[in-house]
Amino acid sequence: GFDLDAHLEQGGVAFRRGEKIVMRALVGNQLALTLSECPLAGDQKLSPHDETRHLLEVTVPDTVELRGWISMYGAGIEILAPRALRKEFADTARELARRYAAQ
């Protein structure tokens, strides 16, 4: 009776931080190409934003792994929503800048 797809859809192998979130982000063209080939979820939408970025809209589980995935792309992704996730990354960026400031 075990349904692997349902288990994965519910974040069964991830460290959840909350419910699913609707994430909006600006992603670089290379990441947009990767996401068009390997979508994060079935409802993912990618649309051109400007010459170098696309707007990503997708519903994803709010997990520790999501944050790792976002961090992996550094400046190649800008979180627009949800506001709390954007603030979390902005706070982290400020702390990193403070720690790595030239002395």
Side-chain angles (χ1 to χ4, degrees):
F2 179 74
D3 184 340
L4 179 59
D5 289 333
H7 182 69
L8 294 174
E9 176 66 23
Q10 295 170 356
V13 296
F15 295 104
R16 281 195 178 268
R17 293 179 55 114
E19 297 301 316
K20 286 190 172 188
I21 57 173
V22 177
M23 184 174 75
R24 295 180 65 242
L26 294 175
V27 299
N29 289 337
Q30 187 61 45
L31 177 53
L33 177 61
T34 299
L35 289 169
S36 70
E37 295 172 353
C38 292
L40 294 176
D43 71 341
Q44 175 179 293
K45 295 178 195 157
L46 278 169
S47 52
H49 178 73
D50 59 30
E51 294 165 2
T52 61
R53 299 179 298 173
H54 282 69
L55 176 64
L56 167 67
E57 298 175 278
V58 64
T59 304
V60 292
D62 187 9
T63 63
V64 171
E65 290 80 3
L66 174 65
R67 284 155 178 77
W69 180 85
I70 293 168
S71 295
M72 180 174 67
Y73 288 100
I77 184 169
E78 177 186 353
I79 303 301
L80 303 176
R83 184 176 298 263
L85 185 61
R86 179 179 174 88
K87 181 182 181 320
E88 185 178 325
F89 275 88
D91 291 347
T92 298
R94 279 190 288 277
E95 178 60 20
L96 288 171
R98 185 190 66 75
R99 287 184 188 185
Y100 289 99
Q103 294 185 4

